[in-house]
Amino acid sequence: MFDPHLMIPLTDVENDRYFSKIDLSKGYWQILVRQEEIPKMAFVTIINRHNEFLRIPIWMMSSGAILTHAVKKLERGVNHVDDYVDDILVHTPTWEKDMRTLLKRLQQANFKLRPTKCVLGVQR
């Protein structure tokens, strides 16, 4: 599937030395449903059991947009960062500033990463 937002102009990475891919573990499930929206997410099972989602379910029509918005908000003001669904791509000329800022924001937002799918600091 072609996504024009994923296209990174080659001129944006020509001076970059370090490349990383950060994978959010179960990205959708990490986003909490706002308290006032929880009743709207309710459903009843075949045995008449009432359930409510406290986290964004992947099957919801706007789940992708909600996740993308959360990731974009997290990246705001950090240079050399692009994203695609639950993957964050970082291309930087120096390791320190941009990567540290992004990792700190991920920690503050309580996002969990999937270490087995992350690739950090690959040098050109």
Side-chain angles (χ1 to χ4, degrees):
M1 180 170 80
F2 174 73
D3 184 351
H5 296 99
L6 187 60
M7 299 299 293
I8 304 169
L10 291 178
T11 55
D12 286 356
V13 298
E14 68 183 346
N15 295 321
D16 294 336
R17 184 172 175 201
Y18 299 96
F19 298 85
S20 301
K21 180 186 78 135
I22 298 171
D23 186 82
L24 299 178
S25 179
K26 300 176 184 125
Y28 298 97
W29 287 99
Q30 295 194 47
I31 301 174
L32 297 173
V33 175
R34 288 184 296 205
Q35 194 66 37
E36 65 271 15
E37 304 294 329
I38 291 174
K40 297 175 186 173
M41 305 289 286
F43 63 96
V44 178
T45 64
I46 197 164
I47 56 172
N48 276 342
R49 185 163 176 217
H50 178 84
N51 294 286
E52 294 174 337
F53 281 100
L54 303 179
R55 298 177 182 277
I56 301 294
I58 194 169
W59 53 260
M60 196 172 74
M61 189 174 287
S62 59
S63 294
I66 292 169
L67 177 62
T68 299
H69 178 74
V71 171
K72 293 275 187 215
K73 186 176 176 183
L74 187 79
E75 295 172 353
R76 204 171 290 147
V78 181
N79 297 321
H80 309 285
V81 177
D82 296 284
D83 62 86
Y84 184 72
V85 190
D86 65 348
D87 290 330
I88 300 172
L89 309 171
V90 185
H91 47 96
T92 60
T94 62
W95 176 256
E96 289 294 315
K97 187 181 176 196
D98 298 315
M99 197 63 183
R100 282 189 187 270
T101 302
L102 183 62
L103 291 173
K104 187 175 183 178
R105 287 186 184 182
L106 285 165
Q107 185 178 27
Q108 289 171 341
N110 232 5
F111 273 105
K112 306 293 183 254
L113 309 180
R114 185 177 308 179
T116 56
K117 292 182 79 180
C118 292
V119 179
L120 301 176
V122 174
Q123 292 187 26
R124 184 188 319 210

